[in-house]
Amino acid sequence: MVYCTGEKWEGIGLRVRSLELHNFRNYSELALAPDPGLNVLEGANAAGKTNVLEAVFLCALGRSHRTARDAELLREHEPFGSVALELETRGGSRSIRIELIEGERKRVLIDGAVTSRSGELMGCLNVVMFSPEDLALVKEGPAERRRFLDMELSQLKPSYYYNLQQYNGALKSRNLLLKETPIRYDMIELWDEQLARLGSRIMVERARFVSDLSGTAAALHAKMSGGKESLRVAYEPSVPFADEDRLMETLQEQLTDRLERDIFRGFTSVGPHRDDLGLHLNGHDVRVFGSQGQQRTVALSLKLSEIELIRRIRGERPVLLLDDVFSELDAARQARLLEVVSDCQAFVTCTHLEEFAAIEQLAMQVWHVENGRIAEV
Ligand SMILES: Nc1ncnc2c1ncn2[C@@H]1O[C@H](COP(=O)(O)OP(=O)(O)O)[C@@H](O)[C@H]1O
Ligand SMILES: [Mg+2]
């Protein structure tokens, strides 16, 4: 069932030409040459569909989207595994390889060369993942929304990722010092300088990103709700600021002001690790008051906006990973999603092909997934 022909290769941005798995999750060996357009992975529960998306995501962000423990990725009872991708980008072809070794840190290779910093991977392969857990982005606490901001910004700007890594390291050090006795004020002061310097950069980037995101998300949401709902996305920084140039000092002052309280509570109470993203529908906080349907549509609007932003900022269309999202959408939202998907390479999972309302009109390559094996349909 291959409707897709060669001409679809033209005008498509980034694409995965081949994917090879070795002892990854429930795959012992897999070699896949995906279609440059829409790839549908169809199969029963626990067949290994999400694992394929996870492998692509791993090559994009250097980590899994569903676990922080790399050991889980290695096929059970195997000491060594790998994921290898051949990519076609605007600037030519490129290969990414992740090696998983039992009891060791994973190795990342770009074009055959081992990278020492995981940040080097950022921006090589931009992906946008849609999954049922996206609902958490709207419904759960601020940590989920910060994760969303961090993931997007890291892909768009590798320098953001480095700042964030350093910031998190500094934060950890300060939090440890807060719990020590006697308190070493001179040491804390040193970390405060670092936190203010790195933290202000992170917050400025977030503010700019959200201001870009808000217009796009509002337009997409209006379209999806048939003009009935207006979405407002706003950055809610832990320290409100109007003047970017003064933010570093403001942050530093706040850290100093709150020091005694932070010592008492044992953690740092101000900085980008306390930011949030405000989401309002027709003036109401959708994080708290939204219905399940509204929250789902807002999550979808945010995700679709990501695609737009990556296109605009990187000048390249991202690879889309859609995990079990179609079954939960009505026909109108499916159509909207497919419209966006249609000019990117996409990997879409489902348990039944009938989940697609518009199945007859779709050009796609269907792959049947069963027990860690994939066959062309
Ligand atoms: N490290 C691992 N080694 C072997 N099998 C694994 C590993 N991790 C997950 N699995 C298996 O992978 C399957 C789940 O794959 P997944 O891609 O999530 O399924 P689905 O098709 O429902 O998306 C389960 O059968 C699970 O036991
Ligand atoms: Mg799954």
Side-chain angles (χ1 to χ4, degrees):
M1 201 153 91
V2 188
Y3 301 109
C4 222
T5 58
E7 69 227 32
K8 254 212 124 187
W9 284 84
E10 258 98 59
I12 290 183
L14 191 61
R15 59 201 180 217
V16 177
R17 269 192 181 278
S18 70
L19 173 67
E20 286 182 20
L21 307 182
H22 172 65
N23 290 336
F24 180 84
R25 293 282 194 186
N26 66 337
Y27 291 89
S28 64
E29 221 56 69
L30 172 77
L32 194 73
D35 188 89
L38 178 57
N39 292 273
V40 175
L41 300 160
E42 164 270 320
N45 262 331
K49 304 179 296 295
T50 304
N51 293 344
V52 174
L53 270 49
E54 184 178 40
V56 177
F57 190 94
L58 178 70
C59 290
L61 283 119
R63 52 158 296 166
S64 156
H65 69 291
R66 52 178 177 179
T67 177
R69 287 183 297 273
D70 291 337
E72 285 176 29
L73 306 176
L74 195 54
R75 190 170 151 88
E76 258 178 315
H77 315 302
E78 296 290 346
F80 181 82
S82 62
V83 178
L85 268 186
E86 290 288 337
L87 277 180
E88 179 107 340
T89 73
R90 240 178 355 142
S93 50
R94 163 151 254 186
S95 72
I96 298 172
R97 186 179 159 82
I98 312 268
E99 296 183 345
L100 305 161
I101 307 149
E102 192 183 20
E104 285 182 37
R105 283 174 58 126
K106 63 177 172 294
R107 293 205 321 161
V108 176
L109 293 90
I110 302 174
D111 292 333
V114 180
T115 61
S116 47
R117 305 209 289 182
S118 56
E120 281 175 50
L121 208 51
M122 296 299 164
C124 288
L125 164 58
N126 285 304
V127 299
V128 178
M129 164 83 80
F130 293 73
S131 71
E133 290 88 56
D134 288 342
L135 198 54
L137 178 60
V138 180
K139 212 169 68 169
E140 302 288 316
E144 288 292 329
R145 288 178 287 279
R146 286 193 297 269
R147 211 164 75 88
F148 166 74
L149 292 176
D150 290 342
M151 233 160 54
E152 296 333 304
L153 275 158
S154 296
Q155 290 199 76
L156 291 169
K157 280 204 140 186
S159 63
Y160 179 89
Y161 179 76
Y162 287 123
N163 283 331
L164 187 68
Q165 270 190 326
Q166 285 187 44
Y167 178 87
N168 288 335
L171 182 64
K172 215 164 148 187
S173 303
R174 186 188 199 257
N175 284 342
L176 283 175
L177 285 169
L178 293 174
K179 291 178 203 133
E180 271 184 13
T181 39
I183 293 288
R184 289 186 287 172
Y185 287 95
D186 53 333
M187 293 283 286
I188 293 181
E189 207 174 300
L190 286 177
W191 285 119
D192 283 0
E193 275 171 40
Q194 293 294 315
L195 288 173
R197 186 175 59 84
L198 298 161
S200 57
R201 285 187 197 160
I202 293 167
M203 292 169 81
V204 166
E205 290 294 348
R206 284 183 181 171
R208 290 180 186 161
F209 175 76
V210 176
S211 117
D212 276 353
L213 180 76
S214 61
T216 315
L220 280 166
H221 194 91
K223 225 172 183 178
M224 267 194 297
S225 65
K228 282 202 274 299
E229 292 170 358
S230 111
L231 172 65
R232 195 167 61 82
V233 183
Y235 181 37
E236 294 178 352
S238 103
V239 188
F241 64 97
D243 185 358
E244 287 184 2
D245 298 329
R246 274 220 20 95
L247 178 58
M248 189 165 92
E249 285 95 73
T250 312
L251 204 50
Q252 177 108 43
E253 283 159 19
Q254 290 272 336
L255 285 162
T256 310
D257 284 355
R258 294 178 186 225
L259 180 55
E260 289 307 324
R261 208 180 335 164
D262 285 356
I263 291 171
F264 179 71
R265 290 157 85 185
F267 66 87
T268 303
S269 62
V270 67
H273 63 287
R274 310 276 288 176
D275 284 352
D276 200 352
L277 188 65
L279 302 168
H280 290 81
L281 268 191
N282 299 341
H284 298 287
D285 194 334
V286 70
R287 294 170 295 191
V288 188
F289 300 112
S291 69
Q292 179 106 337
Q294 285 175 324
Q295 291 179 335
R296 181 161 287 133
T297 312
V298 169
L300 192 60
S301 302
L302 288 174
K303 287 292 175 136
L304 290 171
S305 313
E306 265 183 74
I307 303 175
E308 283 294 316
L309 288 190
I310 291 175
R311 267 185 189 176
R312 222 182 296 151
I313 297 169
R314 309 279 311 186
E316 196 165 52
R317 293 170 203 152
V319 171
L320 308 183
L321 306 170
L322 296 97
D323 198 13
D324 291 340
V325 288
F326 276 90
S327 58
E328 298 184 12
L329 299 174
D330 58 32
R333 283 175 181 76
Q334 277 197 12
R336 182 82 199 104
L337 188 53
L338 284 168
E339 206 180 301
V340 178
V341 164
S342 65
D343 58 357
C344 293
Q345 187 181 38
F347 295 82
V348 178
T349 70
C350 67
T351 36
H352 303 288
L353 285 174
E354 297 74 49
E355 286 167 24
F356 300 95
I359 182 100
E360 270 81 38
Q361 299 131 44
L362 291 177
M364 61 183 171
Q365 164 74 65
V366 179
W367 304 95
H368 179 67
V369 186
E370 197 172 325
N371 242 327
R373 282 172 209 284
I374 299 189
E376 229 172 284
V377 176

